[in-house]
Amino acid sequence: MIKSNFDENEQEKVILTVEIQCVTPPLDYQLEKLRSFFLSEYEADDIDFIIKKTPGVIGGFRIFVNDESYDWSTLGRIRQLRKSFLSLAKGHDPAHIISLLREGIENFELHVGHEPVGFVSTVGDGIATINGLHKVRYGDVVLFDSGVKGMVQDIRSDGTNGIVLFGSDSEIYEGSRVISTNRTAGIPISPKILGRIVDPLGLPIDGGPDIAAKEYYPIERPAPGIIQRKSVNRPMETGILAIDSMFPIGKGQRQLIIGDRQTGKTTIATDTIINQRDKNVICIYVAIGQKASSVAKAVSTLKKYDAMDYTVVVSSPASDPASLQYLAPYSGCAIAEYFMYHGRDVLIVYDDLSKHAVAYRTLSLLLERSPGREAYPGDVFYLHSRLLERAAQLSDSLGGGSITALPIVETQSGDVSAYIPTNIISITDGQLFLESNLFFSGQRPAIHVGLSVSRVGGSAQTNVMKKSVGSIRLDLAQYREMQTFSQFGGDLDSGTLKQLNYGAGLMQLLRQPGNSPMTLPHQVITLICAREKIFTDIPLKKIKSVQQDLLSFFDHHYSAICHKILLDPSYSPALHQEIKDAALDYLNHHML
Ligand code: ATP
Ligand code: MG
């Protein structure tokens, strides 16, 4: 800091304070050299040295003057050497590495690091306000004296910056120093991340070894543009009959799962992940602000069904600071992009974005941004749209990879018109609305047929599925209406009774326990049999067990039909007839 003293002649004298961090204090001649260097560099009259013992620098000196720092320390040299080796080795044949390293060592020249330093003015609740770092950009990572990292989230007109901290703020004080790492926040990544559980910074939290990262992907990246995309045309099968038949999802689509608490939202997502086994799809499950026990439950389900081999879990439980919870979906998306740009198909689940919005609201209020509707900041729509827009089906020239996103949103008492639900409904390509009443009446998965929709998946549905479904969705909608009507009692004509009966049967067929995805042939057989009224005379309570029985009958006696559908998923009247005949055969032999 520059102090000004007044001598007898009332002439101002500038005294420069220079802090030297070192292990062994500088010798007298070194101090003299430093004195003359800084006197000429800063035009001061005198220098006040403060010598601080800092074992971290290993050797040499690290010097802080005003808002700048000079690095003559061993630590700084090691960092520089490492950086130069890394840039040398990048893109070269591993066979040449020794000669490259030798050349690197011979030509290595130490540059004295000279970088700006900022100071903390306020800190609390995981947020720090700093000043002095004028050249940082939004999203840059900064490093505090205590070793804690943070991310620039606010650049203000008065020259201060709002920083969200990625660690504890207990060792950051007013006046603590902070430097910029000149890197935007990102996640180190390599294919070895598959099967791992990581935090939003990409560090493993499953007790396993470090992930040897090959690349560094920024957590925020512009979504692919129109030219870089092609339309959604391949199915992303969930293995859930109600979804694959009536609300099909395509690769590259964004399909919202929305419903009250405990209505089976997570189960739909994990079922979809389980169903991707042997389908060459990489899955990412992002858990935001959930209880650690819920995350553990989801992970153990995935492990139980051998789904962890192709899955990455990004977890930021409720105990994490809001800043990490805010980062989690972006980190997950960066991992997804890594695989997508390598030509792979990726499924990413954000469980759930309501908690993400709450974390962002916390951050924004602490950063003193003005609150808007429901106290969320004005840009909360943009928060989610820039995340979900990154889901895409890339064009063939970019490798044809895709990201399918399944965001989850929790509603309060089924209110879809609250702020966050309406936002996300308008960003996504459709929603699966789960209803508590259906769930508690035993209709699981509790998908509300009237309020759910898939706007793009139809073009991605396999031909055989599209033709087998027929008008089932409409039939169910009619059934719901008639059901309300029939509650008033009175005599119903036989046609209405038949339709009611058919609808109730369909609802039974659509019931499916968790973690038991259905294959495409089984789904097609169920749908065709339902439309052919094979289950009409079976009591409601027995329909589910007859369905299971019928499907295993097909597996044992008509496995050729199943193979045929798997090999060529296209519909033909002959196939339809074959299935119908086989089902009649079953009825004749088993239902007597
Ligand atoms: P939360 O709001 O707590 O996140 P959620 O909506 O994600 O809940 P889940 O955790 O998926 O709901 O499911 C709640 C309970 O319902 C779980 O015990 C789960 O096993 C059960 N469940 C979910 N789907 C089904 C299903 N199709 N059949 C039977 N049980 C189910
Ligand atoms: Mg859940």
Side-chain angles (χ1 to χ4, degrees):
M1 315 287 147
I2 297 181
K3 282 187 221 159
S4 49
N5 278 6
F6 292 91
D7 63 8
E8 287 140 18
N9 302 331
E10 300 252 319
Q11 213 181 21
E12 197 175 348
K13 242 181 143 186
V14 178
I15 298 180
L16 190 69
T17 310
V18 173
E19 181 184 315
I20 304 180
Q21 292 187 350
C22 56
V23 182
T24 4
L27 301 170
D28 284 347
Y29 85 91
Q30 287 174 318
L31 267 185
E32 265 327 298
K33 266 184 153 177
L34 288 174
R35 184 186 302 278
S36 58
F37 172 77
F38 286 115
L39 282 179
S40 64
E41 197 76 3
Y42 287 85
E43 293 176 358
D45 296 310
D46 201 2
I47 298 216
D48 187 6
F49 283 112
I50 300 173
I51 295 176
K52 255 193 191 167
K53 285 209 165 183
T54 317
V57 299
I58 309 176
F61 315 116
R62 207 163 154 213
I63 299 173
F64 292 92
V65 193
N66 288 347
D67 55 2
E68 286 178 329
S69 81
Y70 293 80
D71 203 344
W72 273 294
S73 69
T74 312
L75 181 70
R77 282 166 212 220
I78 295 173
R79 280 194 187 137
Q80 278 188 30
L81 201 61
R82 182 169 174 267
K83 210 168 157 187
S84 81
F85 282 176
L86 282 177
S87 63
L88 263 180
K90 213 173 188 176
H92 283 286
D93 185 351
H96 301 149
I97 207 82
I98 300 284
S99 47
L100 277 172
L101 287 183
R102 185 169 293 146
E103 186 191 302
I105 292 171
E106 275 168 10
N107 297 337
F108 180 71
E109 266 180 47
L110 182 70
H111 305 281
V112 177
H114 172 233
E115 53 190 21
V117 179
F119 296 92
V120 173
S121 48
T122 61
V123 63
D125 301 314
I127 302 283
T129 308
I130 63 164
N131 49 41
L133 286 185
H134 299 296
K135 289 201 174 145
V136 286
R137 296 157 301 177
Y138 173 83
D140 271 3
V141 174
V142 294
L143 184 63
F144 290 86
D145 264 353
S146 64
V148 169
K149 285 184 180 159
M151 186 175 79
V152 180
Q153 186 71 22
D154 240 3
I155 295 178
R156 303 182 185 131
S157 52
D158 61 358
T160 63
N161 300 311
I163 311 287
V164 295
L165 303 176
F166 294 154
S168 158
D169 59 12
S170 60
E171 279 182 49
I172 298 175
Y173 309 101
E174 184 186 344
S176 289
R177 265 187 298 260
V178 53
I179 54 167
S180 168
T181 59
N182 293 322
R183 289 224 284 199
T184 45
I187 184 161
I189 181 163
S190 80
K192 293 214 173 75
I193 203 164
L194 284 180
R196 304 298 302 271
I197 308 171
V198 296
D199 70 5
L201 301 176
L203 303 172
I205 47 173
D206 51 4
D210 277 356
I211 299 159
K214 281 196 177 147
E215 287 181 61
Y216 187 80
Y217 258 59
I219 55 160
E220 296 244 24
R221 170 195 279 256
I226 297 167
I227 305 292
Q228 294 161 311
R229 295 174 186 248
K230 66 175 184 183
S231 55
V232 171
N233 59 3
R234 294 175 299 150
M236 166 64 71
E237 283 155 357
T238 62
I240 298 168
L241 179 61
I243 299 175
D244 288 345
S245 59
M246 295 183 287
F247 312 105
I249 302 173
K251 290 198 168 118
Q253 184 176 343
R254 298 152 299 174
Q255 182 79 352
L256 169 66
I257 302 172
I258 184 167
D260 282 1
R261 52 176 297 277
Q262 288 288 304
T263 48
K265 302 183 296 298
T266 304
T267 307
I268 289 187
T270 47
D271 278 5
T272 311
I273 294 180
I274 291 169
N275 194 44
Q276 303 312 313
R277 197 172 54 218
D278 304 325
K279 289 204 171 76
N280 204 14
V281 173
I282 284 168
C283 301
I284 296 164
Y285 178 75
V286 186
I288 311 154
Q290 294 193 42
K291 293 180 294 233
S293 62
S294 311
V295 185
K297 192 177 148 209
V299 170
S300 76
T301 311
L302 294 177
K303 278 196 178 137
K304 189 170 158 201
Y305 294 92
D306 294 330
M308 266 320 266
D309 304 343
Y310 53 88
T311 303
V312 185
V313 176
V314 180
S315 168
S316 185
S319 56
D320 266 2
S323 53
L324 285 182
Q325 293 184 33
Y326 158 71
L327 272 194
Y330 295 102
S331 305
C333 194
I335 301 174
E337 275 171 345
Y338 171 78
F339 289 107
M340 175 174 76
Y341 284 111
H342 283 78
R344 305 291 303 268
D345 293 316
V346 186
L347 169 77
I348 184 162
V349 177
Y350 303 111
D351 194 0
D352 63 56
L353 289 187
S354 340
K355 296 200 181 73
H356 182 235
V358 168
Y360 187 58
R361 174 169 66 184
T362 311
L363 277 188
S364 301
L365 292 175
L366 289 168
L367 284 166
E368 296 174 8
R369 292 181 186 161
S370 52
R373 182 173 159 192
E374 291 179 27
Y376 288 105
D379 62 344
V380 72
F381 181 90
Y382 180 52
L383 172 81
H384 290 140
S385 65
R386 70 174 193 259
L387 173 72
L388 293 170
E389 270 296 295
R390 287 159 75 183
Q393 164 69 64
L394 288 185
S395 66
D396 295 333
S397 58
L398 283 173
S402 68
I403 295 180
T404 311
L406 293 182
I408 295 179
V409 162
E410 185 182 302
T411 50
Q412 310 290 332
S413 344
D415 181 14
V416 281
S417 60
Y419 191 26
I420 301 300
T422 41
N423 275 354
I424 301 180
I425 285 174
S426 68
I427 298 166
T428 47
D429 304 307
Q431 72 271 355
L432 299 166
F433 182 75
L434 305 182
E435 202 185 39
S436 312
N437 285 345
L438 284 175
F439 188 82
F440 294 126
S441 68
Q443 181 66 36
R444 302 175 185 180
I447 296 171
H448 187 299
V449 178
L451 289 177
S452 304
V453 64
S454 170
R455 294 189 194 95
V456 296
S459 49
Q461 215 172 13
T462 51
N463 177 269
V464 65
M465 177 61 96
K466 199 184 265 177
K467 292 276 170 53
S468 314
V469 178
S471 60
I472 280 185
R473 200 175 154 204
L474 223 77
D475 296 343
L476 280 176
Q478 263 177 0
Y479 162 71
R480 272 184 80 90
E481 247 175 51
M482 268 191 240
Q483 206 187 13
T484 333
F485 180 68
S486 66
Q487 278 169 355
F488 297 115
D491 289 338
L492 296 168
D493 62 89
S494 67
T496 315
L497 272 178
K498 240 186 198 167
Q499 272 212 318
L500 271 174
N501 195 19
Y502 174 59
L506 275 182
M507 292 296 274
Q508 287 292 326
L509 288 174
L510 293 178
R511 288 187 182 189
Q512 195 174 335
N515 312 326
S516 50
M518 278 171 92
T519 59
L520 177 67
H522 280 185
Q523 295 186 347
V524 169
I525 293 167
T526 307
L527 291 170
I528 291 184
C529 291
R531 282 178 56 206
E532 289 299 337
K533 312 277 192 307
I534 297 291
F535 301 101
T536 314
D537 297 328
I538 297 162
L540 271 191
K541 286 211 169 115
K542 276 195 166 173
I543 283 192
K544 211 54 216 172
S545 63
V546 172
Q547 180 196 10
Q548 292 308 330
D549 211 26
L550 175 84
L551 291 174
S552 61
F553 174 79
F554 265 85
D555 282 346
H556 287 110
H557 303 283
Y558 289 91
S559 56
I561 296 183
C562 300
H563 286 302
K564 197 153 75 181
I565 298 174
L566 274 182
L567 277 179
D568 174 22
S570 55
Y571 178 86
S572 67
L575 176 76
H576 190 118
Q577 193 58 39
E578 247 181 282
I579 292 175
K580 188 179 169 188
D581 290 345
L584 290 174
D585 181 22
Y586 167 80
L587 283 189
N588 289 338
H589 286 91
H590 292 77
M591 302 303 293
L592 291 176

